[in-house]
Amino acid sequence: GSVVEETETIDNVEKVKRTNIIINGFIEAKHSEATPTSLTFTSDTWDYVNELRDKKFKGGKVVGWIHTHPSYGIKLSDYDIFIQQNFFSNDYEVAYVVDQLDGIEGFYFWINGELQHCKGFYIYDKLGVEIKIEKEKDDDADEEANGKVSTLYKVALGILAAAVVILG
């Protein structure tokens, strides 16, 4: 896999730069510490990730992370945004969020320094499986959803096995 940048000329005036990120594996974020509302990548987590990356994905680059929001939707929480800003702040680094109970998933990535929801993506392993892309909700709906964090969500986060996405 690779990070591919494409530049096109439109009407010989503008240039459009697109970055395509091809992810070909991931490494579980072992030794991370999770609570119902937070996830901490410890130094042991990063040691494990870097060691396994060097063994399995020689020359590979960490390009983001994946985590679940069971029955909570895929909008990033304030804490998710904190993790993205502090550990995955390069233009090519993504957050992949999965709500397996509601069957939705999505990527967030940086555009001009802002973290934005990706409008489309393709997952090769899911050939023939429809991907649902959640539309952004209004702020009132978000506040209501945040106030109704289910027990299932809290339990699932407590046993969260976060993964760090690897680009080979």
Side-chain angles (χ1 to χ4, degrees):
S2 61
V3 177
V4 180
E5 293 184 0
E6 298 176 4
T7 303
E8 299 177 3
T9 303
I10 300 174
D11 297 327
N12 293 326
V13 177
E14 278 181 60
K15 288 193 176 186
V16 176
K17 182 178 169 184
R18 291 185 228 161
T19 300
N20 297 299
I21 300 170
I22 301 167
I23 300 167
N24 66 357
F26 73 89
I27 297 173
E28 180 182 350
K30 287 187 177 183
H31 315 294
S32 59
E33 297 172 359
T35 71
T37 58
S38 69
L39 174 68
T40 302
F41 295 109
T42 66
S43 60
D44 288 339
T45 303
W46 289 113
D47 290 345
Y48 175 79
V49 166
N50 291 324
E51 180 181 331
L52 200 56
R53 180 199 62 207
D54 293 344
K55 284 181 186 174
K56 286 183 72 174
F57 304 98
K58 290 188 191 322
K61 186 184 289 188
V62 174
V63 295
W65 64 303
I66 179 174
H67 68 289
T68 62
H69 283 180
S71 198
Y72 181 63
I74 60 167
K75 183 172 181 183
L76 294 178
S77 69
D78 289 342
Y79 194 75
D80 295 338
I81 293 168
F82 170 84
I83 289 174
Q84 192 70 22
Q85 289 172 329
N86 288 279
F87 299 102
F88 304 100
S89 60
N90 291 308
D91 287 346
Y92 59 84
E93 292 177 315
V94 300
Y96 177 45
V97 186
V98 178
D99 179 341
Q100 68 276 24
L101 297 180
D102 291 334
I104 53 178
E105 56 196 305
F107 281 89
Y108 289 83
F109 57 97
W110 298 104
I111 297 177
N112 298 324
E114 291 185 32
L115 193 55
Q116 297 194 16
H117 183 242
C118 178
K119 302 291 186 225
F121 55 92
Y122 184 79
I123 300 177
Y124 293 98
D125 287 357
K126 292 188 174 187
L127 191 60
V129 176
E130 181 181 349
I131 296 173
K132 296 178 187 176
I133 299 176
E134 184 179 75
K135 296 192 188 257
E136 295 292 324
K137 298 177 185 174
D138 60 36
D139 289 339
D140 291 337
D142 290 339
E143 285 178 22
E144 184 177 325
N146 286 337
K148 295 181 179 179
V149 176
S150 69
T151 302
L152 181 59
Y153 171 69
K154 291 177 182 177
V155 171
L157 270 181
I159 58 172
L160 176 67
V164 178
V165 180
I166 297 297
L167 174 67

